């Protein structure tokens, strides 16, 4: 019985450090806005990819529901998507883009998948809501 007490206090110690598991989630999300956080290339490219997917879905749903048509709106989506990604890594994270392959690698990450999701959601919402 005496040996069980040290192991139970040892098992409580990691929970106190992590906040019981619940405090770790906000810190993981806060990391995406922390300019002091350390990033490796894969982590940053994943973050940029998923930001771009969210922008593609949001713009596609908005464009389809408004109903907007024409190539100007495709160009506007590309400009918005690229601008948000650039703002994120240059001004929010304040990283040196050369460490991650330069502007080209960061700005094209997830572009094709995001463009596909944008077109799919735009066409579906437009067709379902306005025909």
């Amino acid at each position: 019985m005496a040996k069980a007490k040290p192991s139970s206090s040892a098992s409580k110690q990691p929970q106190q450090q992590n906040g019981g598991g619940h405090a770790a989630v906000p810190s993981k999300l806060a990391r995406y806005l922390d300019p002091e956080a350390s990033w490796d290339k894969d982590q940053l490219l994943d973050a940029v990819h998923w930001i771009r997917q969210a922008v593609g879905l949001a713009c596609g749903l908005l464009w389809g529901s408004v109903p907007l048509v024409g190539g100007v709106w495709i160009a506007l989506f590309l400009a918005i998507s690229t601008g948000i990604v650039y703002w994120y890594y240059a001004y929010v994270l304040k990283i040196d883009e050369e460490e991650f392959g330069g502007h080209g690698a960061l700005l094209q990450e997830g572009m094709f998948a995001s463009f596909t999701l944008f077109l799919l959601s735009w066409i579906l919402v437009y067709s379902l809501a306005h025909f």
Side-chain angles (χ1 to χ4, degrees):
M1 293 303 261
K3 291 183 181 179
K5 286 183 183 178
S7 66
S8 66
S9 66
S11 66
K12 290 180 184 177
Q13 192 175 21
Q15 288 179 350
Q16 291 171 353
Q17 291 173 354
N18 290 336
H22 297 291
V25 173
S27 67
K28 285 183 181 179
L29 294 177
R31 178 179 190 271
Y32 289 100
L33 299 174
D34 182 15
E36 300 298 320
S38 65
W39 292 88
D40 69 357
K41 186 174 181 176
D42 289 336
Q43 290 172 336
L44 181 63
L45 292 179
D46 284 347
V48 166
H49 174 86
W50 288 110
I51 288 170
R52 210 179 271 279
Q53 300 316 304
V55 170
L57 182 62
C59 286
L61 294 174
L62 180 65
W63 270 227
S65 63
V66 168
L68 301 173
V69 294
V72 154
W73 302 106
I74 292 174
L76 182 63
F77 161 71
L78 293 172
I80 289 171
S81 178
T82 302
I84 287 174
V85 167
Y86 179 78
W87 171 79
Y88 177 69
Y89 75 77
Y91 293 105
V92 174
L93 296 181
K94 297 178 178 143
I95 61 159
D96 180 20
E97 65 276 349
E98 295 304 321
E99 293 179 15
F100 298 96
H103 288 294
L106 289 169
L107 291 177
Q108 72 183 7
E109 179 64 29
M111 177 61 85
F112 184 73
S114 175
F115 186 68
T116 304
L117 181 61
F118 164 71
L119 286 179
L120 177 68
S121 59
W122 184 14
I123 292 167
L124 276 174
V125 170
Y126 182 86
S127 299
L128 293 174
H130 303 289
F131 285 110

